[in-house]
Amino acid sequence: MLVLFAGGALAVTGVAAAPRAPGELPAIDETQAIRLAEDAVGRVVPDFELRDSNGKPLRLGSYRGKPLLVSFIYTGCFEICPAQTRSLYAAVKGLDSMLGENQFNVISIGFNQPFDDPKAMRAFASQHRIKHRNWAFLSPRPNDVEALTRAFGFSWVATPAGFDHVLGVTVVDAEGRIHSQVLGDAVSAERLGTPLRRLLLYEQPQIVSSPISQLIERVRILCTVYDARTGEYRYDWKLILQMASGLLFFLTMFIWLFGEWRRQRRQRRLTGLPCPVTAHAVSGKGV
């Protein structure tokens, strides 16, 4: 989960540095790093101001309303950060088929400031061919880096060779609260899909226009299953047929019961009518 990267370094120590003897290289305290990541779950992320890859200011609060996937990178890394970002890209494309590409957002934050400026982040995205309408590459203000990474439970330590830092993706819910941490370099659609499905199905309303659309979206998500061969979600036609059969059965029963109710109601109305009165001629003559 924790790997040493090459690249530029900040002057500050970082977050979750392990104690070291004189002359020993700085490194992450892995136990503390995992604890900090887990402790961040349930925390509302502060509304930090960042800049997008075009240099325009953007606040984290603007992402509320949909689930958000957050990864921390630095552009001076030549191996692991690019590999992790491409892995996340593949996972996101796999999630699009299950959730729809407008159901969640993704951001990559460059924590090596001031080197990870908007120009560097834009070049990083272009170099690794990350093209997704809801994915942004952002640069925080240098003075906010430590507070920002602490808020997300992201641990990093500057070293002479670059950075020792945590690999993973933070899942944030629609209200800006950290829902879960998906740690490790193997970020797959399956691992990310589990918390996203839970968020969209059970823990927050669907971002759609009407109750009928909500129902359709929930059923669509429920009817998908992860395919390990393709790394993507696909429709589970067996489940769809079972649901359709069940719906057809209940619909048939409803029609039969409704028809039976109408028949019995009509019969009760007929049997409850008063008997007709027959008029008889009466003679007024006495005997």
Side-chain angles (χ1 to χ4, degrees):
M1 181 186 69
L2 307 175
V3 186
L4 182 67
F5 303 99
L10 284 164
V12 295
T13 303
V15 179
R20 58 191 178 98
E24 189 177 15
L25 291 177
I28 282 279
D29 183 331
E30 186 169 340
T31 301
Q32 184 185 6
I34 294 174
R35 179 180 59 79
L36 289 174
E38 292 175 347
D39 288 348
V41 174
R43 181 182 302 158
V44 176
V45 178
D47 189 19
F48 288 97
E49 181 179 290
L50 304 97
R51 291 176 296 163
D52 66 17
S53 57
N54 294 315
K56 296 180 180 180
L58 180 150
R59 304 198 70 89
L60 279 178
S62 66
Y63 283 103
R64 295 191 179 184
K66 296 181 182 180
L68 177 66
L69 304 180
V70 182
S71 70
F72 285 90
I73 63 170
Y74 74 97
T75 59
C77 176
F78 298 104
E79 185 178 354
I80 304 300
C81 282
Q84 183 194 18
T85 302
R86 290 193 295 268
S87 173
L88 177 57
Y89 186 42
V92 166
K93 289 193 293 183
L95 290 168
D96 283 345
S97 62
M98 175 186 70
L99 305 175
E101 62 180 12
N102 291 320
Q103 293 284 355
F104 63 100
N105 292 306
V106 187
I107 59 174
S108 293
I109 300 176
F111 68 91
N112 184 20
Q113 296 300 322
F115 303 105
D116 291 340
D117 60 12
K119 182 179 179 181
M121 297 296 285
R122 185 169 64 251
F124 183 91
S126 176
Q127 179 182 356
H128 301 291
R129 301 178 181 179
I130 309 300
K131 295 181 180 180
H132 193 278
R133 61 186 301 177
N134 295 324
W135 190 331
F137 286 77
L138 308 178
S139 303
R141 293 182 294 191
N143 291 339
D144 288 340
V145 170
E146 191 160 350
L148 176 65
T149 53
R150 284 187 184 277
F152 278 93
F154 173 76
S155 298
W156 56 274
V157 175
T159 75
F163 292 98
D164 196 15
H165 70 84
V166 171
L167 290 174
V169 176
T170 300
V171 181
V172 182
D173 69 16
E175 297 178 347
R177 183 177 289 103
I178 295 176
H179 176 270
S180 53
Q181 304 277 14
V182 181
L183 301 178
D185 57 346
V187 180
S188 65
E190 182 180 26
R191 296 186 66 202
L192 291 174
T194 299
L196 284 176
R197 282 169 65 101
R198 188 180 303 120
L199 280 175
L200 291 171
L201 289 173
Y202 310 115
E203 299 183 23
Q204 66 188 36
Q206 293 282 304
I207 313 301
V208 289
S209 57
S210 68
I212 297 298
S213 297
Q214 288 185 14
L215 178 61
I216 293 174
E217 282 298 304
R218 290 177 186 273
V219 171
R220 186 180 65 80
I221 293 172
L222 279 171
C223 290
T224 57
V225 63
Y226 181 73
D227 189 338
R229 295 174 299 176
T230 63
E232 297 182 357
Y233 280 84
R234 60 173 174 80
Y235 287 113
D236 186 348
W237 294 108
K238 181 179 179 181
L239 178 59
I240 293 173
L241 289 174
Q242 289 176 346
M243 293 180 65
S245 298
L247 181 61
L248 182 61
F249 170 78
F250 283 111
L251 182 60
T252 302
M253 290 297 299
F254 173 78
I255 293 173
W256 182 83
L257 289 172
F258 181 72
E260 186 68 12
W261 172 78
R262 289 191 61 184
R263 187 186 65 79
Q264 292 182 8
R265 184 168 179 265
R266 186 165 54 249
Q267 184 177 2
R268 284 196 300 270
R269 289 177 60 186
L270 292 174
T271 56
L273 289 175
C275 295
V277 177
T278 303
H280 297 280
V282 179
S283 174
K285 295 182 179 180
V287 178

